[in-house]
Amino acid sequence: FRPPVSAGHSYPADPAELHHLLQNYLEAAGTEPDPTPGKGLLSPHIDYPRGGEVYAQVWKRAADMVKTADLFIVLGTDHHGGHNPITLTRQNYATPYGLLPTEQTVVDALVEVLGEENAFAGELYHRNEHSLELVLTWLHHLRGGEPVPVVPILVGWLTTPQRTNGNLPINEPLVQSLVDAVHRATAGRNVCYIISGDLAHVGPAFSGKPLDDPAKALIRLADDDLFRILATGDSRTFITKLLTDYEPNNVCGTFPAYLALRMMGDVKGEQVGYAQCPADEQGTSIVSVGGVVFR
């Protein structure tokens, strides 16, 4: 299994201490569970000390959905091997609560599309990647520490950086084949899609200019616009906006969100939570985070 490498650093390795920490976040969250059936959620993957409040707001809102699903497709940003469009693993993921078994039938279906070499060429990136671990820990907490099948997927670049006549050359055949494979492999299952992605990464910590309050306000407006597009479920508009208007904001959840929107199909979203987290000691760099619950 893939061990929880952030345990003992980003969050407690002891399950009782972890339970206490996450329950405190949930009890302080200003949201309530929504019993309406749903299809998925967007969660931050920033460290818990900075993003814990937003994590709790979105996971508490989606709690009923999370507690009733029987399979979770988890799509996280690949921070280290982004040149690989999709990176899979057949290993289970561990949290301090125990093991979350990887659903091999879905992995096999995706391997048929990608090919064995392409699917696992960057598998070692799973080892130290936090984007899946930090959301899977919340998932395991809401499921009371019980094992529930997951499909951990690292998502890199699904398009090329070139622009031709204003068109964005999204790797459409690959994306559609992945979507079709997941739908075939999960037919009859109660699937919940989890997007692990933060929003803007701006300021000197990310090789940008120092941010003042007006600049942070502009980033908030851009984030609000992205949330509005996400809420419509319009994957094409979402990816177009990200790769044209908002590319300088370094939104790291772009491709996991796009692929999840394609997999979920006809959905509407509700924004839950927002924060601009400091990314340097001077307060001139930020990482913005927020959540969306899709129904």
Side-chain angles (χ1 to χ4, degrees):
F1 60 85
R2 185 266 191 201
V5 296
S6 296
H9 305 285
S10 296
Y11 58 86
D14 178 78
E17 293 180 15
L18 176 62
H19 181 272
H20 180 72
L21 174 70
L22 299 189
Q23 278 300 114
N24 282 347
Y25 281 133
L26 288 169
E27 290 169 9
T31 54
E32 294 297 330
D34 185 347
T36 309
K39 290 188 176 181
L41 64 127
L42 164 67
S43 169
H45 60 232
I46 199 169
D47 57 274
Y48 296 168
R50 288 186 292 173
E53 180 179 351
V54 176
Y55 274 103
Q57 288 172 329
V58 65
W59 283 91
K60 188 174 183 179
R61 187 64 171 166
D64 286 13
M65 177 200 317
V66 172
K67 291 176 182 178
T68 57
D70 61 29
L71 175 63
F72 294 86
I73 309 292
V74 189
L75 303 113
T77 302
D78 189 345
H79 290 96
H80 306 289
H83 54 281
N84 300 313
I86 299 293
T87 297
L88 304 176
T89 184
R90 288 194 172 98
Q91 290 199 10
N92 301 323
Y93 259 71
T95 79
Y97 296 125
L99 291 183
L100 292 167
T102 293
E103 185 63 57
Q104 303 298 329
T105 57
V106 181
V107 174
D108 290 342
L110 292 171
V111 170
E112 287 186 15
V113 173
L114 296 165
E116 190 86 11
E117 183 175 351
N118 290 332
F120 300 107
E123 185 177 12
L124 284 179
Y125 291 123
H126 278 269
R127 182 173 57 186
N128 293 316
E129 177 56 67
H130 65 276
S131 67
L132 295 176
E133 177 180 339
L134 293 178
V135 298
L136 287 170
T137 300
W138 273 92
L139 166 61
H140 215 178
H141 180 77
L142 263 70
R143 295 299 293 245
E146 294 299 317
V148 58
V150 300
V151 182
I153 303 172
L154 291 179
V155 184
W157 281 80
L158 296 176
T159 186
T160 59
Q162 289 81 20
R163 305 288 185 266
T164 305
N165 297 325
N167 295 321
L168 301 172
I170 294 168
N171 194 338
E172 179 58 30
L174 173 63
V175 170
Q176 188 60 54
S177 295
L178 293 169
V179 171
D180 292 343
V182 165
H183 290 174
R184 287 193 301 270
T186 61
R189 303 289 293 272
N190 182 3
V191 180
C192 178
Y193 294 89
I194 300 175
I195 306 162
S196 172
D198 295 331
L199 301 176
H201 293 61
V202 188
F206 309 103
S207 302
K209 297 179 180 179
L211 301 175
D212 55 16
D213 288 342
K216 293 176 184 178
L218 288 176
I219 293 169
R220 175 62 190 263
L221 290 175
D223 288 341
D224 285 344
D225 194 34
L226 291 182
F227 279 126
R228 180 187 59 78
I229 297 168
L230 276 170
T232 68
D234 183 347
S235 61
R236 182 68 189 186
T237 300
F238 172 76
I239 197 70
T240 301
K241 278 282 189 181
L242 258 298
L243 297 179
T244 52
D245 296 352
Y246 302 134
E247 189 173 22
N249 284 359
N250 300 314
V251 176
C252 81
T254 299
F255 292 112
Y258 173 71
L259 187 54
L261 286 174
R262 293 292 303 276
M263 290 180 175
M264 288 187 290
D266 185 16
V267 292
K268 300 298 179 184
E270 171 196 8
Q271 180 185 348
V272 184
Y274 181 79
Q276 292 188 345
C277 305
D280 60 24
E281 295 182 357
Q282 295 75 29
T284 58
S285 301
I286 63 152
V287 176
S288 61
V289 297
V292 178
V293 177
F294 295 96
R295 305 192 187 277

